[in-house]
């Protein structure tokens, strides 16, 4: 029977897999897919897809780690305050609450806080005692002890009066400094030699303290011939070096005093006296302040700056605004005693009597 014939060339490693439909001798054969022959172990159902094709095994992948939940620090042992706390009992039975017992245990936050508060109160008491303030009485005395308390107050009238001084005078202050406060500080001075002395002492206490300067006050008087400006102005360089070694004074301070003595002589020729020159800045009347607290007193004022500028212009040395303000307080040009100090009114009355 004649007709087109189809031949199929055999391929060694290939075969035709799948059902072959019936082929008509007059039709075109369907497209057949070649499949690679593999061992039976490779044609496991797991390696064949839905179309009976071979799929290689997937490479093993590591499982993704689960995200860690954020760690929460343990809560502090804080006492919770209930909205309606139970009423406190008057009985003095010890508390059995484990929360309160843990708070009172050493090393707890509450115990550390109580210790800090106790230290703070102790330091505050020391500060109050240092500034000489009287302790406040929390409760009034009993009626039975009225007589004893009144007698005690009468016997201790001296210390109570002493505590009313300016707050920089404390029970631990040097007696020579206390005497200077009670007798000289703030008293108006009109003597030229004493004004010269106070100007020198005020400049010498820079970098030191008044107690140390007052202890050496007699040495200053001996070294500078009783602060006679005419004698001091004639000191030679050899005498200045001898004074520095004999009295233990700085050579720059000694030279400054000698230069100031020459300036004072020039002022005496112009104004008649050093006293008239200085008191002319305050209109011949001391400036009276009304400070209640020590920290309110300034280190310098506009008046001290005015005097300092004029003295520097005239050639004075060691006369900065702060030094001049301290000099004004010492010479009574200004009354800076606290209003709680009895010396405030005493210096004011002495100034009024001196002017009269």
């Amino acid at each position: 029977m004649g007709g087109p014939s189809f031949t199929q060339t055999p391929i060694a490693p290939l075969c035709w897999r799948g059902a072959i439909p019936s082929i008509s001798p007059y039709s075109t054969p369907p497209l057949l897919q070649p499949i690679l022959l593999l061992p039976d172990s490779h044609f496991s159902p797991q390696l064949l897809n839905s179309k009976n094709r071979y799929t290689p095994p997937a490479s093993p992948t590591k499982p993704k780690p689960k995200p860690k939940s954020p760690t929460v620090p343990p809560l502090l042992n804080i006492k919770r305050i209930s909205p309606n706390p139970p009423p406190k009992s008057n009985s003095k039975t010890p508390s059995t609450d484990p929360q309160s017992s843990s708070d009172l245990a050493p090393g707890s936050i509450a115990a550390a806080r109580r210790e800090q508060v106790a230290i703070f109160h102790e330091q505050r008491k020391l500060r109050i005692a240092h500034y000489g303030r009287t302790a406040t009485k929390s409760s009034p005395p009993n009626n039975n002890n009225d007589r004893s308390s009144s007698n005690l107050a009468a016997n201790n009238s001296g210390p109570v009066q002493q505590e009313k001084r300016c707050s920089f005078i404390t029970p631990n202050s040097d007696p020579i400094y206390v005497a200077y406060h009670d007798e000289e500080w703030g008293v108006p001075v009109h003597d030229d030699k004493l004004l010269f002395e106070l100007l020198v002492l005020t400049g010498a206490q820079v970098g030191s303290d008044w107690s140390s300067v007052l202890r050496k006050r007699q040495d200053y008087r001996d070294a500078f011939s009783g602060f006679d400006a005419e004698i001091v102005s004639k000191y030679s360089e050899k005498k200045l070096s001898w004074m520095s070694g004999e009295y233990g004074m700085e050579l720059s301070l000694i030279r400054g005093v000698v230069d100031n003595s020459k300036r004072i002589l020039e002022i005496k020729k112009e104004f008649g006296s050093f006293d008239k020159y200085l008191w002319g800045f305050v209109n011949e009347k001391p400036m009276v302040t009304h400070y209640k607290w020590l920290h309110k007193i300034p280190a310098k004022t506009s008046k001290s700056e005015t005097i300092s500028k004029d003295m520097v212009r005239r050639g004075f040395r060691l006369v900065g605004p702060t030094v001049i303000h301290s000099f004004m307080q010492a010479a009574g040009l200004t009354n800076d005693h606290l209003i709680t100090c009895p010396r405030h009114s005493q210096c004011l009355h002495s100034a009024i009597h001196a002017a009269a």
Side-chain angles (χ1 to χ4, degrees):
M1 188 171 186
S5 61
F6 299 91
T7 60
Q8 186 173 359
T9 304
I11 301 175
L14 299 175
C15 69
W16 303 105
R17 184 175 179 82
I20 302 175
S22 59
I23 302 173
S24 174
Y26 302 98
S27 63
T28 304
L31 181 61
L32 301 178
Q33 299 177 356
I35 298 177
L36 183 65
L37 290 177
L38 298 172
D40 293 340
S41 61
H42 288 274
F43 289 101
S44 60
Q46 290 82 4
L47 302 179
L48 298 178
N49 55 14
S50 60
K51 296 182 180 181
N52 293 328
R53 294 182 180 179
Y54 171 74
T55 56
S59 60
T61 58
K62 295 182 180 180
K64 295 182 178 180
K66 296 181 180 181
K68 296 182 179 180
S69 59
T71 59
V72 181
L75 297 177
L76 298 175
N77 189 11
I78 302 175
K79 296 180 66 176
R80 296 181 179 179
I81 302 175
S82 58
N84 297 322
K88 295 183 180 180
S89 60
N90 296 330
S91 60
K92 297 183 179 179
T93 56
S95 175
T96 58
D97 187 7
Q99 186 90 9
S100 61
S101 61
S102 62
D103 289 345
L104 296 176
S108 62
I109 297 176
R113 181 57 181 166
R114 286 193 184 93
E115 185 177 357
Q116 292 178 357
V117 172
I119 294 174
F120 171 77
H121 285 299
E122 290 296 330
Q123 292 177 351
R124 183 173 179 271
K125 290 179 181 179
L126 291 176
R127 287 196 299 269
I128 293 175
H130 174 72
Y131 286 111
R133 299 173 184 169
T134 57
T136 57
K137 296 181 180 180
S138 58
S139 59
N142 297 330
N143 295 330
N144 298 332
N145 297 330
D146 284 344
R147 294 182 179 179
S148 60
S149 61
S150 60
N151 295 334
L152 182 62
N155 295 333
N156 296 336
S157 58
V160 172
Q161 183 70 14
Q162 186 176 3
E163 291 178 355
K164 292 182 180 180
R165 290 190 180 103
C166 294
S167 57
F168 56 83
I169 299 296
T170 65
N172 298 326
S173 297
D174 196 319
I176 192 173
Y177 186 50
V178 176
Y180 172 74
H181 167 271
D182 294 345
E183 299 173 6
E184 296 185 53
W185 195 69
V187 178
V189 177
H190 295 277
D191 183 66
D192 284 358
K193 291 184 180 180
L194 187 53
L195 288 172
F196 187 22
E197 177 182 354
L198 293 176
L199 183 62
V200 173
L201 297 179
T202 306
Q205 63 93 23
V206 176
S208 180
D209 59 284
W210 269 108
S211 299
S212 302
V213 173
L214 291 174
R215 292 192 199 100
K216 298 177 63 176
R217 189 172 187 176
Q218 188 60 41
D219 292 342
Y220 282 99
R221 289 175 178 174
D222 297 339
F224 295 108
S225 303
F227 293 97
D228 190 339
E230 293 183 1
I231 300 176
V232 175
S233 63
K234 298 177 183 179
Y235 281 178
S236 62
E237 187 68 24
K238 183 178 180 180
K239 185 173 180 60
L240 300 184
S241 302
W242 175 82
M243 290 171 56
S244 178
E246 179 69 17
Y247 298 101
M249 301 179 186
E250 295 183 4
L251 190 59
S252 60
L253 174 63
I254 299 174
R255 288 175 177 170
V257 174
V258 174
D259 291 344
N260 290 346
S261 64
K262 297 177 182 179
R263 305 291 86 80
I264 290 176
L265 293 179
E266 295 176 358
I267 287 178
K268 285 184 177 181
K269 293 180 181 179
E270 182 178 354
F271 295 90
S273 65
F274 191 42
D275 167 63
K276 290 183 179 180
Y277 166 74
L278 291 174
W279 284 91
F281 286 100
V282 293
N283 198 18
E284 305 295 335
K285 296 180 181 179
M287 302 172 59
V288 181
T289 59
H290 298 83
Y291 296 115
K292 187 176 181 181
W293 309 107
L294 180 62
H295 66 274
K296 294 293 185 179
I297 302 177
K300 60 181 179 180
T301 59
S302 59
K303 184 64 68 176
S304 67
E305 291 179 351
T306 302
I307 300 175
S308 173
K309 289 180 180 179
D310 189 77
M311 296 183 75
V312 170
R313 181 180 61 84
R314 294 177 181 273
F316 280 86
R317 298 175 59 180
L318 305 173
V319 287
T322 305
V323 174
I324 291 300
H325 183 64
S326 181
F327 167 71
M328 294 173 63
Q329 294 173 330
L333 293 168
T334 177
N335 184 1
D336 277 350
H337 282 282
L338 301 181
I339 58 176
T340 56
C341 179
R343 292 294 298 167
H344 183 275
S345 58
Q346 294 174 8
C347 293
L348 182 60
H349 291 318
S350 63
I352 294 175
H353 292 306

